[in-house]
């Protein structure tokens, strides 16, 4: 029964995301704010793209050596927040984060465009960059290096899954009487409850 509630939450998320993708009112319906915290509990946030979701979690790809990557190594819990403005809806997912296997990262890497692959090699994500022209010349150097061959996945470029312990849906309603529905994993299994807005 409680696992059914988890399934129900995932189905609800999928319904909302698909609507955003099909109706074309949102430029990037998979864009989500990813919040992480360092080992002292100091939070930081940025936008990343959701690549997949399901029972095993909500997947994004990034550079493990970035600021977020370092924070996740120190504190594996994260939160994701989607805001779908045309529908006046929000979805929040929280839980521990697990890195994907190298095989899974490789399988996704080969689906990416060559220019994204070269960009991943050229960008030392989150570290200081002297000038824009330096980045452009580093991309060109990577292009020359891999000319005529496939671009391998940098070891530091990987996928991460937020494994939900909380999924909350917020829906805007008139008179500020907004709906909040919280699915939560407890020691007894998944529960569902409404929250005051
Ligand atoms: C719409 C949008 C989508 C983005 N998608 C990703 C992504 O999927 N992965 C990623 O590493 N950075 C993505 N970024 C860049 C991040 O927001 C961020 O600048 C970068 O990952 C460095 O973050 P950090 O220094 O906090 O680690 C995206 C930015 C925007 C605005």
């Amino acid at each position: 029964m409680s696992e059914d509630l988890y399934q129900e939450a995932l189905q609800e998320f999928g319904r909302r995301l698909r609507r955003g993708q099909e109706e074309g009112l949102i430029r990037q319906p998979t864009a989500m704010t990813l919040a992480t915290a360092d080992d002292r509990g100091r939070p930081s946030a940025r936008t990343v793209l959701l690549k997949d979701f399901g029972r095993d979690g909500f997947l994004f790809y990034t550079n493990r050596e970035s600021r977020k990557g370092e924070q996740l190594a120190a504190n594996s819990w994260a939160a994701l927040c989607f805001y779908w403005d045309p529908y006046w809806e929000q979805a929040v997912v929280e839980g521990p984060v697990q890195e994907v296997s190298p095989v899974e990262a490789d399988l996704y890497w080969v689906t990416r465009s060559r220019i994204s692959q070269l960009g991943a090699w050229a960008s030392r994500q989150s570290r200081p960059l002297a000038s824009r022209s330096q980045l452009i010349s580093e991309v060109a150097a990577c292009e020359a290096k891999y000319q005529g061959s496939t671009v391998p996945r940098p070891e530091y470029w990987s996928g991460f899954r937020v494994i939900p312990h909380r999924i909350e849906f917020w829906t805007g309603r008139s008179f500020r009487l907004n709906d909040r529905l919280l699915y939560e994993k407890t020691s007894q299994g998944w529960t569902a409850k409404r929250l005051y807005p």
Side-chain angles (χ1 to χ4, degrees):
M1 174 62 196
S2 70
E3 279 302 300
D4 293 350
L5 287 174
Y6 182 39
Q7 193 56 34
E8 181 180 295
L10 293 174
Q11 277 169 358
E12 179 61 20
F13 179 86
R15 192 188 63 74
R16 292 181 186 217
L17 182 66
R18 265 194 312 280
R19 186 186 51 183
Q21 290 169 323
E22 285 163 9
E23 294 184 1
L25 299 175
I26 308 174
R27 192 176 140 90
Q28 286 192 300
T30 57
M32 57 191 184
T33 301
L34 163 69
T36 55
D38 67 15
D39 54 358
R40 288 186 289 176
R42 294 187 181 180
S44 67
R46 78 290 291 154
T47 310
V48 293
L49 296 180
L50 178 73
K51 294 299 174 186
D52 193 18
F53 76 97
R55 295 193 72 83
D56 48 357
F58 287 64
L59 177 66
F60 62 91
Y61 277 84
T62 194
N63 183 324
R64 195 190 304 109
E65 295 170 0
S66 65
R67 184 167 182 235
K68 73 181 95 47
E70 285 177 354
Q71 293 193 348
L72 286 171
N75 176 349
S76 66
W77 279 66
L80 305 171
C81 183
F82 298 81
Y83 175 52
W84 295 305
D85 181 69
Y87 304 106
W88 209 15
E89 284 179 355
Q90 173 179 254
V92 182
V93 176
E94 295 173 18
V97 176
Q98 204 172 58
E99 190 171 342
V100 304
S101 69
V103 172
E104 184 174 350
D106 284 342
L107 285 173
Y108 177 61
W109 173 259
V110 298
T111 70
R112 293 184 40 99
S113 67
R114 192 173 172 85
I115 190 66
S116 308
Q117 293 177 336
L118 293 169
W121 272 108
S123 173
R124 293 193 287 274
Q125 196 176 60
S126 311
R127 280 146 288 178
L129 169 66
S131 64
R132 191 165 168 80
S133 59
Q134 181 172 336
L135 178 61
I136 291 166
S137 70
E138 280 167 356
V139 173
C142 290
E143 221 165 355
K145 181 173 175 188
Y146 293 112
Q147 198 171 20
S149 65
T150 55
V151 183
R153 176 177 64 87
E155 192 278 330
Y156 55 73
W157 189 92
S158 189
F160 296 83
R161 275 196 178 82
V162 178
I163 302 162
H165 280 225
R166 261 177 89 103
I167 302 179
E168 188 201 311
F169 299 103
W170 182 101
T171 308
R173 301 258 189 236
S174 40
F175 308 112
R176 302 267 163 115
L177 299 180
N178 308 316
D179 271 339
R180 291 181 66 191
L181 187 54
L182 172 66
Y183 292 87
E184 195 170 23
K185 188 177 184 178
T186 69
S187 52
Q188 266 78 55
W190 281 85
T191 62
K193 50 171 100 77
R194 283 190 174 276
L195 302 178
Y196 279 101

